[in-house]
Amino acid sequence: MNHEKVQLIRGVELLAVGLLLGSVATTIWADHKGDSKACFETTKLMLKACSADIGDDFLVENAKCLNTNDARACQGEAKADYKEARQDCRYQSEGRNDLCERLPNAGPYIVELDPDDFTGECAGGNPFYPLVPGTVTTFVSEEDAGETIVVAVTDETREIAGIETIVVRDTVYAGLPNGNGDPIGDRIEDTDDYYAVANNCDVWYLGEVSQSFEDGYLDNLHGSFVTDIDRAQAGIIMLADPMVGDVYRQEFALGDAEDAAEILALNTDIYDENGDLVEFDDSSFNCNGACLLTEDFVATKPDAIEFKYFKAGIGFVAEQLPEGEVILKLIKIEVLP
């Protein structure tokens, strides 16, 4: 779907925004409306924290510059870096405030998870986000040199906040797959995601351990968080009863994980940047006018927008940039014993 069509959908259908999380059990989601400005106040504090952080870095760099052969040039570079970092702090604040505006309630974000609401009573699971152990889905990204992404729903579990979560392993390989759709490049990312399906069929996201590799060696764990550790909180990855206009946090670990999403359409197809219908090699993946469309964005990166498509019974099938380029497509589903 191109950018103009997406904007049209949003403009026509956002009347439903006040119905956010209507499917979420009140025993799980604590809707604290007492302080309606808490979201914006959080942004202000995070801006101060960002400013203090880059200020410290600037002073340290200046101290280092005093011990170089060209202190003036070194300090000039440090000043330029500081100006760029200060702009980045403002950029993050704009994104956080934009999310506050889009949320139906800008009060404190407080999630109170009750293990009794995760006892496996969701018959059949969430159709747009099925989590059946043994299911392995393979995606291809043709951006730059290309990547192969393999997502495996394992039979492993991890208890988080008293809830038994499902471990889903998301592995990214450099380069495109072979003719059978199997990865052949080096592993560049390996992430364990932790999901839990509530009794009402909302799919909650309780954290991740994300490993990035460089030249075969572990480089960093950026983006990792686990609910209830360092005040991180769970979010919803897929609503049981999504409605156009719903805006919700998918994760909440300030400074590390602040993704959110909005439901744009319930029954749509995928159109590329030329307006042509996008079809899959396996026709069973085609939307046929029935895909759920979300806008996924990061609060701290207001320009980092992606549109994601989900098909009932299959789940995530494609990802698209606002300009219309489809950058990720499902190519294969296997169910291993």
Side-chain angles (χ1 to χ4, degrees):
M1 180 172 290
N2 61 34
H3 184 62
E4 289 76 15
K5 291 182 180 179
V6 169
Q7 293 303 317
L8 177 61
I9 289 174
R10 292 185 62 188
V12 172
E13 298 178 319
L14 285 183
L15 293 177
V17 70
L19 298 175
L20 169 70
L21 295 177
S23 64
V24 180
T26 55
T27 55
I28 300 175
W29 189 272
D31 189 15
H32 295 258
K33 297 183 179 180
D35 182 2
S36 62
K37 297 182 179 179
C39 187
F40 296 101
E41 293 299 322
T42 299
T43 295
K44 289 181 181 179
L45 290 174
M46 291 303 293
L47 175 59
K48 290 181 179 180
C50 186
S51 299
D53 188 39
I54 65 173
D56 285 347
D57 290 344
F58 178 63
L59 293 175
V60 171
E61 288 304 310
N62 269 275
K64 293 178 180 178
C65 288
L66 294 177
N67 297 278
T68 63
N69 291 327
D70 193 343
R72 179 173 295 182
C74 179
Q75 288 173 334
E77 292 179 6
K79 185 176 181 179
D81 290 342
Y82 173 74
K83 288 183 177 179
E84 183 177 343
R86 188 169 59 180
Q87 179 58 40
D88 189 52
C89 288
R90 289 194 289 263
Y91 178 68
Q92 292 180 22
S93 290
E94 291 172 3
R96 287 190 174 107
N97 277 335
D98 177 66
L99 175 56
C100 293
E101 293 283 357
R102 294 171 71 170
L103 290 169
N105 169 35
Y109 183 76
I110 302 174
V111 175
E112 297 176 345
L113 297 175
D114 184 349
D116 289 339
D117 290 310
F118 294 85
T119 57
E121 296 178 16
C122 171
N126 187 308
F128 289 109
Y129 219 90
L131 293 169
V132 180
T135 303
V136 178
T137 50
T138 303
F139 301 84
V140 167
S141 170
E142 296 188 357
E143 280 193 300
D144 301 324
E147 293 178 348
T148 306
I149 299 93
V150 179
V151 181
V153 183
T154 74
D155 58 3
E156 301 172 28
T157 61
R158 174 175 175 175
E159 185 174 306
I160 299 175
I163 297 165
E164 189 174 86
T165 67
I166 301 166
V167 179
V168 177
R169 189 152 295 126
D170 187 327
T171 308
V172 181
Y173 299 89
L176 298 176
N178 61 20
N180 295 322
D182 299 320
I184 55 177
D186 294 333
R187 179 181 59 162
I188 55 178
E189 292 181 24
D190 205 340
T191 302
D192 279 357
D193 294 306
Y194 306 116
Y195 298 102
V197 183
N199 294 341
N200 69 342
C201 296
D202 288 329
V203 181
W204 286 80
Y205 186 45
L206 283 80
E208 64 179 88
V209 174
S210 179
Q211 303 177 89
S212 293
F213 297 87
E214 186 74 32
D215 297 326
Y217 295 96
L218 178 63
D219 183 62
N220 65 73
L221 300 173
H222 295 164
S224 299
F225 79 100
V226 177
T227 295
D228 280 0
I229 295 179
D230 197 22
R231 299 188 187 278
Q233 299 190 71
I236 289 183
I237 206 72
M238 181 57 66
L239 295 164
D241 185 22
M243 301 186 69
V244 171
D246 286 352
V247 181
Y248 49 96
R249 293 186 187 271
Q250 297 176 318
E251 54 189 12
F252 189 76
L254 286 171
D256 293 314
E258 300 183 50
D259 290 9
E262 177 175 348
I263 305 296
L264 296 185
L266 302 179
N267 297 286
T268 189
D269 272 311
I270 309 173
Y271 297 90
D272 64 19
E273 62 269 36
N274 299 315
D276 296 326
L277 183 68
V278 173
E279 297 183 314
F280 297 80
D281 292 338
D282 186 330
S283 61
S284 67
F285 302 160
N286 290 340
C287 288
N288 297 322
C291 274
L292 171 71
L293 170 63
T294 66
E295 176 189 344
D296 285 42
F297 57 99
V298 183
T300 55
K301 300 176 182 178
D303 292 334
I305 297 172
E306 299 165 342
F307 299 121
K308 293 186 177 180
Y309 296 83
F310 301 82
K311 183 175 181 180
I314 293 178
F316 176 53
V317 294
E319 184 177 302
Q320 183 178 41
L321 295 178
E323 296 79 14
E325 181 185 1
V326 177
I327 59 171
L328 193 67
K329 287 181 67 176
L330 175 64
I331 63 167
K332 182 171 65 171
I333 294 180
E334 299 175 283
V335 179
L336 305 180

